[in-house]
Amino acid sequence: MSSEVIFDQLGSVLFINFNRPSSKNAMDTTMANLLSNKLKAVASDRSIRAIVLRGSGENFMDGFDLSGYVVGATSAQEQIFQKIQFFYSSIRELATMERPVIASLDGAVSGAGLSFLLVSDIVIASDRVSISSNFLSHALLPDGGVSFFLPRKIGLAKANELLLLEKQLTAADALGLGLINKVVPAADLEIETLELAKKLADGPTRSIGLAKRLLNASFEQNLQSQLSQEASMWSAVAKTFDFKEGVNAFHLKKEPRYTGA
């Protein structure tokens, strides 16, 4: 029996494949639990220098799987609560992961899929992607950090439009809003994703991780606090092998070879 989430490490890149193609990879409790446990282990695994999220089949992730839930049933409420906790754990791990996280999108992206899109650092999408929220039409609330990340990415007016009117976005729409970084033909998505993942995995991993931390903190800080954090993190980066390699490469006018250390 195949797993609902497949983890494949290729070199220093971890590929996380949501694997429920018959349900458009809609998330259920088993998937959320597997993902949460794996990401907690990945946080301390220095052999992994980049993470790619993608869906099996022709879709990324089409929301939560609500099949089997009975309205008003205590067991159903407990299942939803349990799934949300595992799901939220995964979002927190990805948001604080000091490695680049890439979302490789194809087909349907909604609900929980939108959360994973938003928490990723770089998003590449095929030209057949369709992005929507799909919360309020089912009387659900945005979750998985959507209410936090979305207005920060595209502004409050457009966030309201996407959530309240449940506007469907094409890949071109999402690119124009700054929701994604790059659109490629569907046939090229895999190779383009591999190239992007390798480029990031070959970079100075500690510096990338601390840069992520600075950018994420910037929305909650004043300028003085941000400057202090930059100075503090500069001190940490200056002790790394990759910093020394980068400076030496600059002086010698050669390409640096980073190790992530």
Side-chain angles (χ1 to χ4, degrees), residues 140-217:
L140 305 174
L141 287 175
D143 57 14
V146 167
S147 63
F148 179 87
F149 294 115
L150 191 61
R152 285 166 168 77
K153 290 238 178 180
I154 65 174
L156 187 57
K158 288 298 181 182
N160 278 331
E161 186 177 338
L162 186 58
L163 288 175
L164 305 187
L165 300 179
E166 298 206 328
K167 181 178 179 181
Q168 282 206 331
L169 303 178
T170 65
D173 293 333
L175 184 65
L177 287 172
L179 197 57
I180 62 178
N181 300 95
K182 187 176 184 179
V183 179
V184 300
D188 298 337
L189 181 61
E190 183 172 0
I191 187 65
E192 293 268 5
T193 299
L194 287 170
E195 289 178 1
L196 177 59
K198 187 176 187 309
K199 177 180 176 63
L200 288 170
D202 287 345
T205 309
R206 292 289 307 285
S207 295
I208 290 172
L210 292 177
K212 279 185 59 172
R213 194 192 299 181
L214 283 169
L215 289 173
N216 289 334

Side-chain angles (χ1 to χ4, degrees), residues 29-237:
T29 305
T30 300
M31 179 187 282
N33 191 10
L34 288 168
L35 184 60
S36 174
N37 290 337
K38 180 65 175 181
L39 289 174
K40 287 175 182 175
V42 165
S44 59
D45 186 347
R46 288 294 161 190
S47 73
I48 296 170
R49 296 171 62 193
I51 294 170
V52 175
L53 306 176
R54 60 187 181 182
S56 298
E58 297 183 347
N59 297 284
F60 180 68
M61 180 180 287
D62 195 17
F64 273 136
D65 186 350
L66 296 176
S67 62
Y69 295 134
V70 179
V71 175
T74 302
S75 60
Q77 294 170 4
E78 290 174 351
Q79 286 179 53
I80 292 173
F81 180 78
Q82 183 183 48
K83 179 164 59 177
I84 283 177
Q85 297 314 303
F86 289 135
F87 176 37
Y88 282 15
S89 171
S90 299
I91 296 297
R92 282 191 293 267
E93 290 292 338
L94 290 168
T96 58
M97 187 80 62
E98 294 196 349
R99 260 82 35 101
V101 178
I102 303 158
S104 180
L105 310 181
D106 199 11
V109 183
S110 72
L114 181 60
S115 298
F116 286 117
L117 179 167
L118 291 168
V119 78
S120 298
D121 303 306
I122 301 290
V123 182
I124 183 170
S126 83
D127 54 8
R128 64 186 179 189
V129 153
S130 176
I131 299 170
S132 59
S133 58
N134 280 0
F135 292 112
L136 296 175
S137 60
H138 301 292
L140 305 174
L141 287 175
D143 57 14
V146 167
S147 63
F148 179 87
F149 294 115
L150 191 61
R152 285 166 168 77
K153 290 238 178 180
I154 65 174
L156 187 57
K158 288 298 181 182
N160 278 331
E161 186 177 338
L162 186 58
L163 288 175
L164 305 187
L165 300 179
E166 298 206 328
K167 181 178 179 181
Q168 282 206 331
L169 303 178
T170 65
D173 293 333
L175 184 65
L177 287 172
L179 197 57
I180 62 178
N181 300 95
K182 187 176 184 179
V183 179
V184 300
D188 298 337
L189 181 61
E190 183 172 0
I191 187 65
E192 293 268 5
T193 299
L194 287 170
E195 289 178 1
L196 177 59
K198 187 176 187 309
K199 177 180 176 63
L200 288 170
D202 287 345
T205 309
R206 292 289 307 285
S207 295
I208 290 172
L210 292 177
K212 279 185 59 172
R213 194 192 299 181
L214 283 169
L215 289 173
N216 289 334
S218 68
F219 289 97
E220 315 300 329
Q221 304 269 32
N222 59 39
L223 176 60
Q224 185 56 46
S225 297
Q226 192 72 8
L227 290 172
S228 296
Q229 284 208 5
E230 286 181 354
S232 175
M233 290 186 191
W234 254 108
S235 298
V237 163

